[in-house]
Amino acid sequence: MKVRLRKCFGALVTCLGLWPILAFAQSSDLSQNLAACKAGRDSCDRSKLSQSEATDVALAAHGRNVANCRSGYDSCDRSRLSEPETIALAVADHQRNVTDCNDGMQSCDPSKLTTFEARAMAVAEKQRNLAACKDGAVACDRSKLTPSETEAVNIARRQLNASDCENGAGLCDHAQLTPTQTKDTTAAEHQRNAQNCQNGWDECDHSKLTPLQAKQTASSEHQRNFSACKDGQETCDYAKLSTTEAKTLADAEHKRNYAACLKGYGYCDPSRLTPTEAGAIPTKKPDVR
């Protein structure tokens, strides 16, 4: 009898111990299901919702439908909108169409514009075409320009061409430059070439340098080579170093090698140490096993 009571008591204790775990698992499942229902996911099981949760899910679904309608999505169900929501959607749709038309978007429906809005769209379209022509864009339609606009476009295009030629960018047409613009462009090209040469860039033509620029370029190239040698870069050309520079680098390398041998860290070449330096290097103790 006592054994049977102990078994029952043990089973009861086990059940009580597992109850919090089971309750937590069930609560977690219900929370996940509620989140799935609010998000409109297929995994939603509405039968597990309480009355208040079902109300919250319905409100979330309605709000999602309103957002879909405002965004113009196909999933929009206008029949589920309230009258104020339907009116607000119509206002938003109309304004979006007006904006699309003024911006020249393909989604524009001119038939839905008022007379005033259609005139505003025509003005915006004219301004866009004028800007495109001044910028030399493909969308430019010169047939829609007035004589005064055509002249303004021609002036803008000449200025843009001069700027492209002077900056070495874009589509430069030297034939359209005035004598003054040609002079400015030549000076800019000459200065740009000198900078390219001093910086060691590929777009350098040494034959176009003045004697002073050639001297400055040679000095810059020499300094870059010396820096490359100091940093141990593969672009270093030791043959181009002066006697003083070569000695400076050799002394620095000797100090580095001695420090590496002394500290046991870094590449060490014992054969390059002086007898005094070699004597200062700690001898390696044999491993004791």
Side-chain angles (χ1 to χ4, degrees), residues 85-223:
E85 290 170 342
T86 301
I87 295 174
L89 176 61
V91 173
D93 284 346
H94 183 87
Q95 187 55 49
R96 184 165 52 245
N97 183 62
V98 171
T99 301
D100 291 346
C101 291
N102 286 337
D103 292 343
M105 305 290 287
Q106 291 184 348
S107 54
C108 163
D109 186 353
S111 65
K112 294 182 178 180
L113 299 177
T114 66
T115 303
F116 178 80
E117 290 168 344
R119 283 199 297 266
M121 183 194 74
V123 172
E125 182 179 355
K126 187 175 181 63
Q127 291 299 321
R128 267 197 317 276
N129 183 63
L130 178 60
C133 292
K134 286 184 176 181
D135 293 338
V138 179
C140 166
D141 185 353
R142 282 182 169 265
S143 65
K144 295 182 178 180
L145 299 175
T146 64
S148 61
E149 289 173 340
T150 299
E151 179 59 26
V153 166
N154 291 337
I155 294 174
R157 295 295 298 132
R158 285 194 295 268
Q159 291 174 342
L160 182 60
N161 181 67
S163 177
D164 288 344
C165 293
E166 193 168 332
N167 295 324
L171 301 175
C172 167
D173 185 356
H174 286 82
Q176 294 186 17
L177 297 176
T178 65
T180 301
Q181 291 172 339
T182 300
K183 183 179 179 180
D184 292 340
T185 296
T186 301
E189 290 174 347
H190 192 78
Q191 183 60 35
R192 192 162 50 249
N193 181 66
Q195 290 177 349
N196 291 338
C197 292
Q198 286 189 33
N199 293 328
W201 294 338
D202 293 335
E203 299 82 7
C204 163
D205 186 349
H206 286 81
S207 66
K208 294 182 179 180
L209 297 175
T210 64
L212 177 60
Q213 290 171 339
K215 183 177 179 180
Q216 292 172 338
T217 296
S219 176
S220 297
E221 291 174 347
H222 187 86
Q223 187 58 44

Side-chain angles (χ1 to χ4, degrees), residues 36-47:
C37 292
K38 283 186 174 182
R41 293 195 289 266
D42 294 336
S43 58
C44 166
D45 185 353
R46 290 180 175 271
S47 64

